[in-house]
Amino acid sequence: MTDPAASRSTGYSAWRLIAEELRAEITEGGLRAGDRLPTENALAERFGVNRHTARQAVASLAADGLVESRRGSGTFVTGGAVHVHRIGMRTRLSTSIGDRHSASGRVLESETVTASPEIAERLGIAGGPVVRVESLRTVDGEPVALGAHWFDAGRLPDIATALRRTSSVTAALRAHGIDDYVRASTVVSARHATAAEAALLRLDPGAIVLVTESLDTLTDGTPLQYGVTRFSAQRVRLDIEHPPPPA
Amino acid sequence: MTDPAASRSTGYSAWRLIAEELRAEITEGGLRAGDRLPTENALAERFGVNRHTARQAVASLAADGLVESRRGSGTFVTGGAVHVHRIGMRTRLSTSIGDRHSASGRVLESETVTASPEIAERLGIAGGPVVRVESLRTVDGEPVALGAHWFDAGRLPDIATALRRTSSVTAALRAHGIDDYVRASTVVSARHATAAEAALLRLDPGAIVLVTESLDTLTDGTPLQYGVTRFSAQRVRLDIEHPPPPA
């Protein structure tokens, strides 16, 4: 890494740059669960900073649950903080992150609004009322994903009530007589969390969200649900499902 | 947005928080290409900051190519800076980002190394030499993706030379008699760019990379290429290909 001190003038602190280097090594497998992190002295020497700065970097990784101190024996990579969300033809947030016991979802708010031109286009409707639902998904009490969902209010007038009752899109759609739906499109991007997102997902300023914009349809292609889900990038990875080769 | 000034003590500046809010609106379509950005005065009022801070936020969006000033008429969303990389069964970086004329790839370095246990496992080999290639992909002269690729040196001894000559994995594999390969797995995550990545991708400190870890195989499932690609999150979105519904 090139002189981290040089970046101070941009408002981006040296400890943060060091934490990023270490985070990259942890998330990409150079440092694995159970591995011991170099000591603060070794990190300070490696990155050319003082020990206080190295300690700050390690503390920020600990705050994210990526490493943990064990009294008298050092700091170790936990590897336990990252959940995998599988994206495929039958993507179901409710069964994909965490198991049934540890994961839960709840509706934060819902409202019926007039469709913006963009939402109307995605839902394949001329306009009119749509139901917008905001939801928060937690695993082991830790927030992992913030969802915004849009449904055609003409087709699914009671979807918000069903979602509040069942905490599951799949179950709420079943209550409307819809037994199956498929993922038609998913676009993935990443950006810094907004202040509102950081508050709900309990993230530090500067934390990252992975954003999926997705459309679910009936098996005949009729649009059913447009969604924008923001995953905490430090807690979630997306596993893309590919069809088996034709062979 | 809640008091951005309150975040100053964390080293995360108010202008950056405002830039993130606006970036989120642009990338998720609330503000679209050609839309006029609110004036600095309007932004200052909306976010409760002074005009200088609002100007800094807009300047950082301009530096990323997301907005541009037009003399006398204001600042507008360009929408031209984001490329889409399609991920599906037949993912080809060389044809997916940019068209043939504007995009190019080049090998930064290559070496033959002993496989780490992790790389050996992914490539389905017991160990032995692997070829590691680092590549950089640009569109219109702008770097968009940094790739690390691993190949079994026993199977593909000349892959690095072929990659340097052809600048395309598809063409380099064809030179080895491999006419077809398929994507077996893709895992997507996001994190801050390391200093080295930021330098190569020409990103500011604190910028984000979308990371794909992927395995390509022959159509019979034999592992061929393991890759870790880091995309500039401000320039690239990933479009996941889903199979058509069974209908």
Side-chain angles (χ1 to χ4, degrees), chain B residues 17-240:
Chain B
L17 290 170
I18 295 167
E20 282 160 19
E21 290 276 349
L22 294 173
R23 179 188 295 279
E25 289 178 29
I26 291 169
T27 56
E28 276 140 46
L31 281 166
R32 309 179 87 163
D35 280 0
R36 186 179 172 157
L37 214 62
T39 63
E40 285 166 10
N41 280 335
L43 290 172
E45 188 171 329
R46 170 175 161 197
F47 291 108
V49 297
N50 63 38
R51 215 180 127 175
H52 173 72
T53 300
R55 184 177 309 143
Q56 240 184 320
V58 173
S60 96
L61 295 175
D64 291 346
L66 284 172
V67 302
E68 61 183 5
S69 291
R70 293 183 204 151
R71 193 188 293 256
S73 57
T75 303
F76 294 82
V77 177
T78 57
V82 176
H83 307 288
V84 173
H85 173 51
R86 194 156 170 85
I87 294 183
M89 196 176 76
R90 285 195 162 68
T91 298
R92 306 286 186 259
L93 189 55
S94 56
T95 53
S96 158
I97 297 190
D99 62 29
R100 277 155 200 272
H101 305 290
S102 68
S104 70
R106 72 188 167 91
V107 172
L108 299 178
E109 62 176 65
S110 61
E111 56 174 357
T112 302
V113 294
T114 302
S116 68
E118 191 199 4
I119 295 293
E121 186 192 326
R122 311 233 174 187
L123 288 178
I125 57 179
V130 289
V131 178
R132 188 184 68 82
V133 178
E134 293 271 342
S135 69
L136 183 68
R137 186 137 204 95
T138 59
V139 178
D140 294 326
E142 189 178 59
V144 294
L146 188 61
H149 318 257
W150 286 266
F151 303 90
D152 176 1
R155 174 189 291 271
L156 302 163
D158 303 319
I159 187 79
T161 311
L163 273 170
R164 278 180 196 279
R165 200 178 61 238
T166 63
S167 293
S168 149
V169 170
T170 306
L173 289 173
R174 198 168 292 134
H176 280 76
I178 294 167
D179 288 326
D180 195 14
Y181 61 98
V182 294
R183 178 60 60 92
S185 70
T186 310
V187 174
V188 181
S189 56
R191 56 171 173 74
H192 292 101
T194 65
E197 290 163 350
L200 286 165
L201 290 169
R202 280 188 236 139
L203 300 171
D204 289 330
I208 300 170
V209 285
L210 267 168
V211 182
T212 61
E213 296 164 68
S214 59
L215 181 70
D216 289 310
T217 70
L218 294 176
T219 52
D220 70 0
T222 308
L224 201 59
Q225 172 188 208
Y226 175 64
V228 178
T229 307
R230 288 133 299 165
F231 298 89
S232 158
Q234 67 203 34
R235 297 179 199 134
V236 179
R237 295 152 68 82
L238 306 175
D239 183 4
I240 311 301

Side-chain angles (χ1 to χ4, degrees), chain A residues 88-111:
Chain A
M89 195 177 77
R90 285 195 163 68
T91 298
R92 306 285 185 260
L93 189 56
S94 55
T95 55
S96 156
I97 297 191
D99 62 27
R100 278 157 199 272
H101 304 293
S102 68
S104 69
R106 72 186 166 89
V107 171
L108 299 177
E109 60 176 68
S110 62
E111 56 174 356

Side-chain angles (χ1 to χ4, degrees), chain A residues 59-133:
Chain A
S60 97
L61 295 176
D64 290 345
L66 284 172
V67 302
E68 62 184 3
S69 292
R70 293 182 204 153
R71 194 187 293 256
S73 57
T75 303
F76 295 82
V77 177
T78 56
V82 176
H83 308 287
V84 173
H85 173 52
R86 194 155 170 84
I87 295 184
M89 195 177 77
R90 285 195 163 68
T91 298
R92 306 285 185 260
L93 189 56
S94 55
T95 55
S96 156
I97 297 191
D99 62 27
R100 278 157 199 272
H101 304 293
S102 68
S104 69
R106 72 186 166 89
V107 171
L108 299 177
E109 60 176 68
S110 62
E111 56 174 356
T112 301
V113 294
T114 301
S116 69
E118 190 198 6
I119 295 294
E121 186 192 326
R122 312 235 172 186
L123 288 178
I125 56 179
V130 290
V131 178
R132 188 183 68 82
V133 177

